[in-house]
Amino acid sequence: MQTNFSLAQLARPDFADSEKILRTCVHCGFCTATCPTYVLLGDELDSPRGRIYQIKDMLERGVPAPAPTVKHLDRCLSCLSCMTTCPSGVHYMHLVDHARTYIEETHSRPLPERLLRDLLATVLPRPWLFRLALMGARLGRPLARFLPGRLKGMVAMAPDSLPAPSDTERPGVFPARGERRARVALLSGCAQPVLAPGINEAAVRLLTRHGVEVVVAEGVGCCGALTHHMGRKASGHDYARAAIRGWMQEIEGEGLDAIVITASGCGTTVKDYGHMFRDDPEMAGPAARVSALAKDVTEVMADLGLMPPTVGTGLTVAYHSACSMQHGQRIHAPPRQLLAAAGFRVVDVPEGHLCCGSAGTYNLLQPELARQLRDRKVANIESLAPDVVATGNIGCMTQIGGGTAVPVIHTVELLDWATGGPRPAGLPDAAAPAEPGLQRAG
Ligand code: SF4
Ligand code: SF4
């Protein structure tokens, strides 16, 4: 694709990077067929190729982001299905990240939209505030009908009960069982430990059972993905910077073999820290080191090798590969192979490349499109009549779980159960835990 940026624009690293990306697009349109919003809406402007043209036009002209461009980019899920399909290697993720930042810097959204985004960007990355907000939402449910549209939907989505905070949210060390084979840091995260603390607990049990010492590093909370993908670059970078500093203490201290992440949306972002901080003289090196160590928990377990299962589960698992897992991180075999090694019958969800509509804050900001995608995903899942759905991202769990009675369980919880941990809540015929709870050092 030909571009027409001025020399002044190209002197800016973000524009120079975007120009390089734009030049790789050959307009072939292969990406349109696998784009969820194009599949739903059939509008070229809601396809990857259409969005690339709109981004090019917006950036080249250097004008405040036009409202129609904002509309079509807001509808993009950042699912990155287009990157998997593109034969030309167009790095749509970095391009749309730049476009979203440009929109936030140049476009004034209507006040209710601004307030809603401010609310999400303030609350979701802070577990204590998110917990408080969910408790408030539960109490406020009787008054929900007086709230404006999307806020009403959010209050309705608040879970009936909130699990207690987990030990894995606090800095500390979980020693390896038996001989230590590796030492890793676990990303505790922000929204996930509030909604489903059992995921990180299962990860700690699974890893320590396989001889891995797990540390939750001081000062690491949200990875920054949530606000980064809303175009709030400064906020996303602040969270990321804190995480990098926290992990660097461990890397330079006792050392780390990996940084383990149990939410694939976060994993995609942490693996991109090197790019995010490429122009920051102080952070570029540490960010690249952290990115190089970042791994999804299933990558780490695949390297370690799963111990033989201790229970015969006999369950059929529909594996839902989150977009951030399959398109963002290109992780395909490890989760499926681990589940099979754990004794589950694994089946793939038809139209597996299409997003479920969760996509970070997308299901809150674009509820109608998100609902259509969820219903399509649920229909595909239910066509398999599985016993359980397994996935590696809390957003997908919440989104899909809201539309089906089939239990949706994190992959790591199933692997933990199969190798000696408690049976995950939500599965039928709950049995007593096979081993005691977590053990912290000291
Ligand atoms: S990221 Fe997903 S929704 Fe956005 S253009 Fe690409 S395929 Fe379409
Ligand atoms: S498939 Fe790649 S090269 Fe072709 S239009 Fe889409 S982004 Fe451009």
Side-chain angles (χ1 to χ4, degrees), residues 268-310:
T268 306
T269 298
V270 178
K271 287 181 177 180
D272 201 44
Y273 279 175
H275 177 83
M276 283 167 63
F277 288 95
R278 66 200 179 284
D279 302 316
D280 183 326
E282 186 204 342
M283 296 303 293
R289 280 182 80 181
V290 164
S291 287
L293 282 173
K295 285 194 173 161
D296 185 74
V297 63
T298 57
E299 291 181 286
V300 174
M301 286 309 303
D303 287 347
L304 290 167
L306 194 75
M307 60 172 55
T310 58

Side-chain angles (χ1 to χ4, degrees), residues 142-227:
L143 303 173
R145 66 180 186 280
F146 300 115
L147 292 170
R150 285 181 292 184
L151 219 46
K152 191 188 326 188
M154 285 183 207
V155 169
M157 277 164 71
D160 291 334
S161 63
L162 270 187
S166 162
D167 239 12
T168 58
E169 273 184 64
R170 291 186 291 120
V173 176
F174 299 90
R177 292 201 180 179
E179 194 186 334
R180 190 173 100 175
R181 298 167 64 191
R183 184 173 194 268
V184 304
L186 177 77
L187 170 64
S188 161
C190 52
Q192 177 181 287
V194 176
L195 295 169
I199 295 171
N200 280 339
E201 291 179 354
V204 169
R205 279 192 302 268
L206 184 68
L207 289 163
T208 53
R209 188 181 304 129
H210 284 77
V212 179
E213 180 171 294
V214 181
V215 53
V216 177
E218 188 84 47
V220 179
C222 173
C223 68
L226 271 166
T227 48

Side-chain angles (χ1 to χ4, degrees), residues 24-32 48-49 52 82 85-90:
T24 56
C25 176
V26 295
H27 331 191
C28 64
F30 285 177
C31 51
T32 55
R49 182 173 59 183
I52 289 168
C82 47
T85 312
C86 176
S88 195
V90 174

